[in-house]
Amino acid sequence: MSQADFVVVANRLPVDRTPDGEGWRRSPGGLVTALEPVMRRAEGAWVGWAGQPDVSLEPFDFDGTHLVPVELSAADVQHYYEGFSNDTIWPLYHDVIAEPTYKRAWWEAYVRVNRRFAEAAAAAASEKATVWVQDYQLQLVPKLLRELRPDLTIGYFHHIPFPAYGLYSQLPWRKQVLEGLLGADVIGFQRVADAGNFARAVRRQLRYETKASGISVPDGQGGTRVALAKAFPISIDADSYIELAQRPDIQQRAKEIREGLGNPRKILLGVDRLDYTKGIRHRLKAWGELLEDGRATVEDATLVQVASPSRERVDAYVQLRDEIEMTVGRINGDYDSTTHTAIRYLHQSYPREEMVALFLAADVMLVTALRDGMNLVAKEYVASRIDNRGVLVLSEFAGAADEMGSALLINPHDIDGLKDTIVRALEMPAAEQGRRMRALRTRVRDHDVEDWSREFLDALSAFHDRASSATAAAEVDANLDEPEDASS
């Protein structure tokens, strides 16, 4: 297949190398799961990096999808990905929890690599195709792509938060990024507040008119077009978690987990990438103080903290790991007994089956993010609780809080409030657990990942149809205005 009517552009391809290095397997990420049914129906193409620097690959087909690899050098990975994407944009867009670094060489690499992605997408897309660009690593691609292929319908989805203007305005290349995003016909965000922050930045920096969710953007030909910027909260494949939770072997594994922890009365669970945005330090501080205060004991409750490895070459992450492991060691040293532990810390990644077993074993799920675009772990926990039991403690600064009001919402910076909420969760009666969990499960099942992709693509299709109608009308008007042929 040379060109496709539907093209996804993402930092990574939806496949990973097999352990033997000879073949490919589908990546486990949520985005891949979200777009798999769409790609199958559309027989689409996916443009992305294969995950290894300085490796040149020809396009190839995998499981019904045409994959178009974009080559990145080791310097590109260092400057575009680890540098600008993850040491400039990530901390800035997450409320400067860590200090962003601004380096011109990183920005130049970001521009260069975004252009490479745009060129690859332009080559992969058929005439009047739909292209869907994904996330903060590729914010310049929509405009670059529109310049290369004005016939395309372009969507962009921003998976992380978009910051308030007072923070965003720090970015030295703030106008270029906004203009890059406005190359899309539809710009999607996780939360209404994120879309609002984006619109305010556009008004302040570019002076473009915004009305409701529409933004008037110069079309380069003396006129304007309208770009739509609004919230499309992402979700999960809820049915797949429900099916796993119903499997006897996974239910048995959940019992083994409890037994392995000494059968405490309650298990608390945190599941995060090892990232400073996730509030892991706040969670550990609250739990350590509850043990110190005597409001909890290791015989009664254990905290299991899964912290999967993340960006291990970035200094802020190395420092974070050291801090967390030192804190865990101190708390365990102070409060462990010979049969029970205060915190079971697991710096590993686990397959989905093991995660569902952990969800079934956990009486309380702690999501204490300081800032999070959505936090799909909260939804995965809820979907897995087929017994309608368990308590979700959820940060109000995670996008999931907008949809999951039946959780116990917390401000993770308020350590005393967090401690009180953890105690409330540990002591919550079964009837209240059931009432809250049923409401949460209804929301997650009614709005799953297919709904998310369908809602976004329907909005993009509506824009495409409107633009096509406007083009057709303009062509009719032009034909009516043409002088009659004198020979007729």
Side-chain angles (χ1 to χ4, degrees):
M1 182 181 69
S2 57
Q3 290 184 316
D5 293 335
F6 181 71
V7 179
V8 167
V9 189
N11 178 61
R12 287 291 303 270
L13 289 173
V15 292
D16 296 319
R17 283 281 191 190
T18 53
D20 60 14
E22 298 297 317
W24 300 92
R25 61 185 179 189
R26 186 166 295 281
S27 301
L31 179 64
V32 176
T33 303
L35 296 181
E36 181 181 10
V38 182
M39 298 301 288
R40 284 181 181 277
R41 286 195 299 269
E43 296 185 341
W46 188 304
V47 175
W49 176 45
Q52 296 172 292
D54 298 308
V55 173
S56 180
L57 297 169
E58 291 298 315
F60 62 99
D61 292 333
F62 178 87
D63 203 14
T65 299
H66 187 61
L67 303 184
V68 181
V70 174
E71 183 178 351
L72 297 183
S73 67
D76 290 333
V77 174
Q78 182 181 357
H79 295 144
Y80 143 79
Y81 181 69
E82 293 176 353
F84 194 81
S85 295
N86 291 325
D87 212 2
T88 301
I89 293 296
W90 181 270
L92 178 65
Y93 283 28
H94 285 86
D95 291 358
V96 193
I97 295 165
E99 191 71 23
T101 303
Y102 303 114
K103 291 187 178 181
R104 284 171 289 180
W106 290 359
W107 166 251
E108 290 162 4
Y110 189 79
V111 174
R112 183 172 63 250
V113 171
N114 270 244
R115 183 172 289 113
R116 200 177 305 159
F117 273 84
E119 290 168 350
S126 62
E127 186 178 358
K128 296 184 178 179
T130 294
V131 179
W132 194 0
V133 184
Q134 305 289 333
D135 221 3
Y136 65 102
Q137 302 96 342
L138 303 175
Q139 294 175 100
L140 306 183
V141 167
K143 181 187 178 185
L144 294 168
L145 189 55
R146 183 170 292 278
E147 291 170 350
L148 291 168
R149 293 286 305 275
D151 60 301
L152 299 176
T153 301
I154 303 169
Y156 170 90
F157 189 78
H158 197 74
H159 291 261
I160 68 173
F162 195 91
Y165 179 73
L167 295 175
Y168 180 78
S169 61
Q170 297 179 24
L171 184 66
W173 308 279
R174 55 200 183 184
K175 287 187 178 180
Q176 295 97 312
V177 169
L178 294 175
E179 289 168 346
L181 293 171
L182 287 170
D185 297 294
V186 177
I187 306 128
F189 297 92
Q190 300 281 24
R191 309 182 81 166
V192 172
D194 294 325
N197 288 342
F198 174 73
R200 277 187 288 277
V202 168
R203 286 197 300 271
R204 294 286 294 274
Q205 282 296 317
L206 303 179
R207 305 297 180 187
Y208 294 169
E209 181 184 354
T210 64
K211 188 174 182 180
S213 298
I215 299 173
S216 296
V217 184
D219 63 5
Q221 300 173 348
T224 59
R225 61 180 181 85
V226 176
L228 180 70
K230 64 173 291 188
F232 298 88
I234 198 170
S235 193
I236 62 167
D237 180 9
D239 287 344
S240 68
Y241 283 88
I242 293 168
E243 289 169 9
L244 287 171
Q246 291 171 334
R247 278 174 36 181
D249 60 321
I250 291 179
Q251 292 178 6
Q252 177 59 35
R253 176 61 188 143
K255 292 178 182 176
E256 292 170 0
I257 289 170
R258 294 194 74 94
E259 291 169 0
L261 294 169
N263 281 316
R265 188 174 63 86
K266 297 285 184 178
I267 294 175
L268 303 98
L269 176 64
V271 175
D272 311 89
R273 277 191 313 105
L274 187 61
D275 193 290
Y276 49 75
T277 65
K278 302 299 184 181
I280 301 172
R281 287 175 289 199
H282 298 62
R283 185 183 313 161
L284 296 178
K285 183 175 181 62
W287 183 237
E289 288 190 11
L290 285 173
L291 293 169
E292 182 181 0
D293 298 343
R295 298 173 70 186
T297 67
V298 292
E299 288 77 22
D300 275 344
T302 292
L303 169 59
V304 177
Q305 176 60 58
V306 177
S308 58
S310 174
R311 299 170 189 162
E312 295 180 291
R313 290 170 53 179
V314 178
D315 288 345
Y317 290 79
V318 174
Q319 182 180 344
L320 175 68
R321 180 180 178 183
D322 289 345
E323 285 182 34
I324 287 174
E325 293 182 354
M326 188 179 302
T327 301
V328 169
R330 179 181 56 77
I331 293 172
N332 282 345
D334 287 345
Y335 300 107
D336 275 9
S337 70
T338 55
T339 53
H340 294 84
T341 186
I343 302 168
R344 180 65 59 85
Y345 173 74
L346 305 165
H347 183 243
Q348 303 167 44
S349 298
Y350 292 95
R352 187 179 296 189
E353 291 82 359
E354 182 73 0
M355 292 313 306
V356 172
L358 279 165
F359 293 149
L360 290 174
D363 302 284
V364 178
M365 183 80 212
L366 298 176
V367 177
T368 58
L370 308 181
R371 192 79 163 90
D372 214 338
M374 176 54 62
N375 195 286
L376 295 179
V377 168
K379 296 186 175 184
E380 292 166 0
Y381 176 72
V382 165
S384 302
R385 294 309 304 220
I386 56 175
D387 58 353
N388 289 318
R389 290 293 180 270
V391 183
L392 174 63
V393 175
L394 177 61
S395 168
E396 63 192 60
F397 304 121
D402 289 352
E403 304 174 81
M404 306 180 81
S406 294
L408 297 184
L409 299 181
I410 51 98
N411 172 4
H413 299 283
D414 175 8
I415 300 298
D416 286 335
L418 177 55
K419 289 162 60 179
D420 290 343
T421 304
I422 291 173
V423 171
R424 181 183 173 192
L426 291 170
E427 296 176 350
M428 184 177 290
E432 184 180 354
Q433 289 184 38
R435 186 169 66 253
R436 289 176 176 273
M437 189 56 71
R438 277 189 290 272
L440 291 168
R441 285 175 54 75
T442 297
R443 172 61 187 173
V444 171
R445 294 189 71 175
D446 287 352
H447 181 71
D448 65 5
V449 71
E450 284 206 44
D451 288 317
W452 167 74
S453 60
R454 182 172 58 250
E455 287 172 10
F456 186 95
L457 293 173
D458 283 352
L460 194 55
S461 178
F463 259 65
H464 173 76
D465 293 343
R466 192 172 77 186
S468 299
S469 299
T471 302
E475 289 173 352
V476 170
D477 289 344
N479 289 335
L480 291 174
D481 289 342
E482 287 178 2
E484 291 185 8
D485 189 331
S487 63
S488 60

